[in-house]
């Protein structure tokens, strides 16, 4: 089967030499199947196109006979202007997807397209309104975010100031505590020194104040 296919492909030309083994035969056999499947598809497509061409030709002959019978006209008897009008009429019918070229079909198709156009325009207006609202919300959100960033920055700056004040108060408190402890120590040392010199306790400031009271 592979050999016959190669001879068919190359025709009168000699088939190139190739190594015959299981792998090359398998590859060539897959090519044979793909080629035959493609040929079948192309044949079916050709037959379908021939059938459609026959149907179109029959429809064209029918319409041409109808035109000649109804109006006594043929494509060959139409002027260039008439042919142009006929083409416009046909193209309009195709565009509007009418079943025929009667005024009723045209009016119906135009009404349908007009309704569809109004519906589309209404939908577009709704979408534009929704988009406008979204833009406003986005703008408000951006402004709020900016305000929050500014408030956060001010809060951080205020916290830095308060932290500096707290550090200063802490240092002052530590200084006062240390100073108080130093004074206590000095007072105690002075009292001990006075006591060592034999100072009468009745002569101390506290005793004199009590005595005066």
């Amino acid at each position: 089967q592979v050999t016959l296919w190669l001879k068919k492909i190359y025709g009168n030309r000699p088939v190139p030499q190739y190594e015959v083994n299981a792998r090359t035969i398998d590859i060539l056999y897959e090519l044979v199947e793909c080629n035959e499947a493609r040929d079948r598809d192309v044949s079916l497509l050709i037959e379908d196109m021939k059938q459609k061409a026959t149907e179109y030709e029959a429809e064209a002959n029918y319409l041409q006979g109808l035109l000649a019978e109804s109006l006594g006209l043929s494509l060959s008897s139409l002027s260039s202007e008439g042919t142009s009008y006929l083409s416009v009429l046909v193209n309009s019918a195709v565009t509007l997807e009418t079943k025929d070229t009667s005024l009723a079909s045209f009016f119906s198709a135009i009404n349908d397209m007009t309704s569809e156009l109004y519906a589309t325009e209404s939908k577009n207006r709704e979408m534009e309104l929704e988009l406008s609202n979204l833009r406003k919300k986005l703008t408000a959100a951006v402004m709020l975010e900016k305000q929050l960033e500014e408030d956060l920055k001010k809060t951080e700056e205020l916290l830095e100031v308060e932290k500096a004040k707290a550090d200063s108060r802490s240092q002052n408190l530590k200084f006062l505590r240390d100073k108080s402890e130093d004074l206590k120590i000095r007072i105690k040392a002075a009292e001990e020194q006075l006591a060592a010199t034999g100072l009468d306790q009745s002569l101390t400031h506290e005793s004199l104040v009590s005595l005066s009271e």
Side-chain angles (χ1 to χ4, degrees), residues 6-168:
L6 289 174
K7 289 181 179 180
K8 177 182 176 182
I9 293 296
Y10 285 95
N12 297 327
R13 295 173 296 170
V15 177
Q17 295 294 325
Y18 63 94
E19 183 179 352
V20 179
N21 53 47
R23 184 171 181 277
T24 57
I25 294 300
D26 288 341
I27 293 174
L28 289 173
Y29 184 73
E30 290 180 4
L31 290 176
V32 171
E33 290 185 331
C34 292
N35 185 263
E36 290 179 348
R38 185 191 62 182
D39 289 344
R40 286 193 299 270
D41 292 340
V42 171
S43 298
L44 292 175
L45 181 61
I46 291 173
E47 291 299 324
D48 182 63
M49 293 179 68
K50 286 181 178 179
Q51 182 178 354
K52 287 182 178 180
T54 302
E55 292 175 357
Y56 290 153
E57 184 177 1
E59 183 70 14
N61 291 334
Y62 169 75
L63 293 176
Q64 185 174 356
L66 188 63
L67 185 66
E69 181 181 351
S70 302
L71 302 176
L73 296 175
S74 64
L75 293 177
S76 59
S77 65
L78 290 176
S79 64
S80 58
E81 187 177 5
T83 303
S84 176
Y85 288 155
L86 183 60
S87 297
V88 171
L89 183 64
V90 172
N91 291 332
S92 299
V94 171
T95 302
L96 295 174
E97 298 181 354
T98 61
K99 64 180 181 179
D100 52 41
T101 56
S102 64
L103 286 178
S105 296
F106 274 111
F107 286 152
S108 177
I110 291 173
N111 287 335
D112 291 342
M113 292 193 71
T114 303
S115 299
E116 184 178 352
L117 176 61
Y118 287 155
T120 303
E121 289 178 347
S122 176
K123 186 65 175 179
N124 287 340
R125 285 193 294 269
E126 292 178 0
M127 293 181 67
E128 288 177 358
L129 180 60
E130 184 177 358
L131 180 60
S132 177
N133 292 334
L134 288 175
R135 286 175 177 170
K136 291 180 181 178
K137 291 180 180 179
L138 179 60
T139 302
V142 171
M143 293 179 64
L144 178 61
E145 182 182 6
K146 185 177 180 181
Q147 183 64 41
L148 290 175
E149 289 179 351
E150 293 178 355
D151 293 344
L152 179 60
K153 183 178 179 181
K154 291 179 181 179
T155 303
E156 290 177 347
E157 292 175 352
L158 181 60
L159 286 175
E160 289 294 330
V161 173
E162 292 299 326
K163 184 175 180 298
K165 290 181 180 180
D167 291 341
S168 177

